[in-house]
Structure formats: C-alpha cells, structure tokens
Amino acid sequence: MKFFLDTANVEEVKRIADLGLADGVTTNPTIIAKEGKNFKEVILEICNIVKGPVSAEVTSDKAEDMIKEAMELAVWAPNIVVKIPMTEQGIKAVNILSKKGIKTNVTLIFSVTQGLIAAKAGATFVSPFLGRLDDIGGDSLKVVRDLRKVFDVYGFKTEIISASIRSLKHVEEAALAGSHIATIPGNLFDKLWSHPLTDKGLVQFKKDWDAYLNTER
Ligand code: E4P
C-alpha cells in the first residue's frame, strides 16, 4: 500500500519524504487554510519535494467552473491531481477532465456507489473518508473492501485512497481491505514506526552492551 501525506505543512512533507515514505500528498481547503500561506506557493513547494501525485482541490460548485479551475491547477506542476467533490456537477467535471487527460481525485466518498460512479466518470483516484464515516456509525472498511472488489471485478484502473485516517488501526485495516493508498496526517506517521517495546528493547540492549564493554575479558 502506498502512503500519501495528508498535509500542506511543507516541513512535515520534507521530513517524511526524507524517510522515503511519501508516495504522494493530499490537501483540501481546510488543510491549506491551516497553513495560512499562499495556495499556489504551498502546492508548488510540495510538488518540488514529492514526485508522486499531489492533490489540490477545486472550490467551485458548477462543473464549468470546476473545469476552469482544474485546467489552471493542472499546469502548475506535472504531478498535480485535481481534487473534485462527489457531486453531480463534480462527476460532470470529472467526465470531461478525464477525457482531457487531467488526473482527478474524487473526494468525500462515503459509499460504494459513489466510488463506482466516480470510477465510471474516469477518476484517477477516489477518496473514501474513513474517520468521518465511522463517526456516524458507518462501516468505512467495508466500503473500502467492497469498492476494491468492484474495481477488480470490472477492471477499473481507479485507485482507492483511504482518507480521513484517524488511527493506526485505520491504516492497518485499510491495507487489509486492499486500499491502494492511505493518506495519513503527519502526526500519525510517527506512530507507524513507533512501539513502546521497541524503545524498551533498545534501552536494554544498550545497557547490556555497555556492561559487556566494561567487563574485563
Ligand atoms: C484527504 O483527502 C481528506 O481531505 C482528509 O483525509 C480529510 O480528513 P478529515 O476527515 O480528518 O478532515
């Protein structure tokens, strides 16, 4: 499973990219606003650091306006993916953009039918929101698992990005459910490699090694 970073924090992107773990980046209007910087500048900085897909979201409601925005975004960098909301107008826009060869990520997906419709429209990626669906008592992992099955059965090339990830369990279960990608917030990334028993084991190894070095042989 590929790891995308769910952030517009350039320092965070650099740090995780240096570990070789950032296969791509996703942003949304909330994530961009949090950084308080110029939208284009932030996206361009990120596109320079990460060679994989970088999602930048449109903010218009009408298909024609989304298409206009998307055409502008798409020329910012070769790895830009235009994020389009899962609405009737969004699907209309994805249908046209995919024919123009513009890569899209259909966002705010909460059901298999939404994902299937986005794939039929030619979406490059679909983003089911795990955390937000679980918050209202939904079964987000079932959506990911079933969507993967549908894509495989019908031969869709669309990739699933498990988004709105809140925990390690989400990451592990997304991998087991066959999600192609998990987009993970920066603060959760550290937990991917941390374990208290790893730290405890390391302390013991160091202690034993120091004692060994101090022993006369
Ligand atoms: C990424 O594509 C999504 O916009 C993001 O994961 C949403 O996360 P949230 O539900 O924590 O806001």
Side-chain angles (χ1 to χ4, degrees):
M1 186 173 67
K2 283 172 273 187
F3 287 156
F4 284 7
L5 253 168
D6 200 19
T7 186
N9 184 291
V10 173
E11 292 314 311
E12 211 156 56
V13 173
K14 267 191 203 135
R15 189 169 67 89
I16 305 299
D18 280 349
L19 298 171
L21 290 175
D23 298 311
V25 172
T26 51
T27 67
N28 63 31
T30 307
I31 288 172
I32 293 286
K34 210 161 88 185
E35 296 307 310
K37 291 185 186 169
N38 177 276
F39 179 34
K40 186 172 181 179
E41 280 170 22
V42 175
I43 293 291
L44 287 184
E45 268 191 85
I46 294 172
C47 286
N48 265 331
I49 302 165
V50 173
K51 295 299 154 222
V54 174
S55 289
E57 191 159 341
V58 299
T59 50
S60 308
D61 299 326
K62 290 201 179 124
E64 66 218 56
D65 298 332
M66 288 184 199
I67 293 167
K68 197 166 165 273
E69 262 192 82
M71 305 282 281
E72 284 164 13
L73 291 172
V75 293
W76 285 1
N79 49 339
I80 291 274
V81 171
V82 182
K83 226 170 164 191
I84 306 269
M86 177 66 227
T87 58
E88 183 181 342
Q89 292 295 305
I91 289 309
K92 194 172 169 187
V94 170
N95 194 30
I96 293 168
L97 290 168
S98 65
K99 292 193 176 78
K100 291 181 188 291
I102 292 175
K103 293 196 170 110
T104 55
N105 171 2
V106 178
T107 188
L108 291 163
I109 298 272
F110 294 94
S111 70
V112 175
T113 51
Q114 285 183 320
L116 176 57
I117 283 169
K120 282 173 77 71
T124 319
F125 302 100
V126 290
S127 289
F129 276 33
L130 276 51
R132 293 193 200 188
L133 186 55
D134 291 347
D135 285 348
I136 59 154
D139 186 349
S140 63
L141 270 310
K142 184 173 184 324
V143 172
V144 174
R145 204 167 27 248
D146 291 353
L147 206 45
R148 177 65 200 254
K149 197 186 279 178
V150 169
F151 285 0
D152 287 352
V153 166
Y154 293 101
F156 286 107
K157 295 275 177 278
T158 307
E159 291 190 78
I160 301 165
I161 305 178
S162 288
S164 189
I165 294 250
R166 304 264 168 81
S167 61
L168 276 192
K169 199 162 183 279
H170 268 154
V171 178
E172 291 172 358
E173 288 184 343
L176 285 168
S179 189
H180 301 90
I181 302 145
T183 189
I184 304 169
N187 58 358
L188 195 62
F189 246 98
D190 291 334
K191 297 196 180 127
L192 293 179
W193 57 78
S194 307
H195 197 284
L197 290 179
T198 306
D199 300 339
K200 194 178 166 198
L202 214 48
V203 168
Q204 188 65 48
F205 285 158
K206 194 170 165 19
K207 200 173 146 210
D208 293 343
W209 189 246
D210 286 346
Y212 168 77
L213 291 178
N214 287 330
T215 314
E216 292 242 349
R217 277 177 301 274

